[in-house]
């Protein structure tokens, strides 16, 4: 179930791409982020967190997230160049047209595909009906915020509350 490479469709929701990448059972060595121009900032934020965890990041740029034939052509070219590699597609992100094109390409190539149910933290394999994986769901706050483009200071400052004020509050 551990794949060398995850191909992910970048969208505003970083968690469904991040969670499988940080799961101990599924952690890939490489992630390919399929990114449209309007998702470049999200792709950069996700890539930064992945690199901090030792995951190599590559980009597959697409010019228009709503141009099905062009998305399909880009993915076909990528899959044909990486046909013998251990690759799985994460279908959770991207636009619906990106997901449909990716599913068509990866399905015809016989590559594994999965979807992350964010409500249950289950990873559902589309090509293996009997296989599911419950994600460990332990994403650190720093990674979660970083993947969404936010940063925490290195040392979090906790406010000092005088004892008499603390006692009044409690």
């Amino acid at each position: 179930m551990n794949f060398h490479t995850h191909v992910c469709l970048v969208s505003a929701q970083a968690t469904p791409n991040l969670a499988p990448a940080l799961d101990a059972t599924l952690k890939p060595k490489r992630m390919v982020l399929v990114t449209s121009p309007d998702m470049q900032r999200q792709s950069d934020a996700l890539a930064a967190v992945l690199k901090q965890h030792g995951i190599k990041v590559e980009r597959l740029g697409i010019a228009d997230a709503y141009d099905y034939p062009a998305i399909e052509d880009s993915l076909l070219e990528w899959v044909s160049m990486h046909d013998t590699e251990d690759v799985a597609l994460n279908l959770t992100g991207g636009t619906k047209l990106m997901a449909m094109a990716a599913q068509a390409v990866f399905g015809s190539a016989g590559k594994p595909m999965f979807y992350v149910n964010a409500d249950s933290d289950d990873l559902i394999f589309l090509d293996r009906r009997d296989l599911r994986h419950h994600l460990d769901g332990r994403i650190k706050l720093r990674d979660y915020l970083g993947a969404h483009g936010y940063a925490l200071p290195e040392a979090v400052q906790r406010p000092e509350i005088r004892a008499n004020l603390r006692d009044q509050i409690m």
Side-chain angles (χ1 to χ4, degrees):
M1 187 167 18
N2 187 358
F3 304 100
H4 180 274
T5 301
H6 290 187
V7 175
C8 300
L9 311 173
V10 176
S11 67
Q13 297 178 356
T15 306
N17 287 331
L18 184 63
L22 299 185
D23 183 273
T25 304
L26 300 169
K27 184 178 180 181
K29 302 222 181 303
R30 174 177 73 166
M31 299 237 335
V32 177
L33 305 179
V34 181
T35 308
S36 62
D38 58 326
M39 288 291 130
Q40 191 62 48
R41 186 181 67 76
Q42 289 85 347
S43 181
D44 291 343
L46 180 59
V49 173
L50 295 169
K51 288 175 184 177
Q52 289 172 1
H53 287 272
I55 299 170
K56 183 179 175 185
V57 176
E58 295 177 17
R59 311 288 174 104
L60 175 59
I62 55 169
D64 183 351
Y66 297 95
D67 184 348
Y68 183 93
I71 297 165
E72 188 176 47
D73 289 346
S74 293
L75 290 168
L76 276 168
E77 182 179 344
W78 189 91
V79 168
S80 68
M81 291 175 18
H82 299 86
D83 186 45
T84 60
E85 296 178 20
D86 182 26
V87 175
L89 171 67
N90 181 341
L91 275 164
T92 314
T95 63
K96 286 184 173 65
L97 288 174
M98 288 170 65
M100 291 185 325
Q103 184 175 8
V105 169
F106 277 70
S108 67
K111 297 290 185 185
M113 298 174 280
F114 60 86
Y115 178 86
V116 175
N117 180 344
D119 292 333
S120 65
D121 287 331
D122 284 332
L123 187 137
I124 303 161
F125 284 91
L126 279 66
D127 54 322
R128 302 176 190 172
R129 293 177 186 251
D130 59 335
L131 187 59
R132 284 184 179 231
H133 174 73
H134 187 73
L135 297 168
D136 63 26
R138 291 179 276 173
I139 298 174
K140 293 184 176 175
L141 182 59
R142 186 173 304 283
D143 292 333
Y144 177 85
L145 292 174
H148 288 86
Y150 302 99
L152 284 176
E154 286 303 315
V156 177
Q157 298 290 329
R158 299 192 187 273
E160 291 185 33
I161 301 174
R162 293 190 318 255
N164 63 336
L165 290 175
R166 183 184 62 234
D167 292 343
Q168 289 175 358
I169 294 171
M170 299 191 156

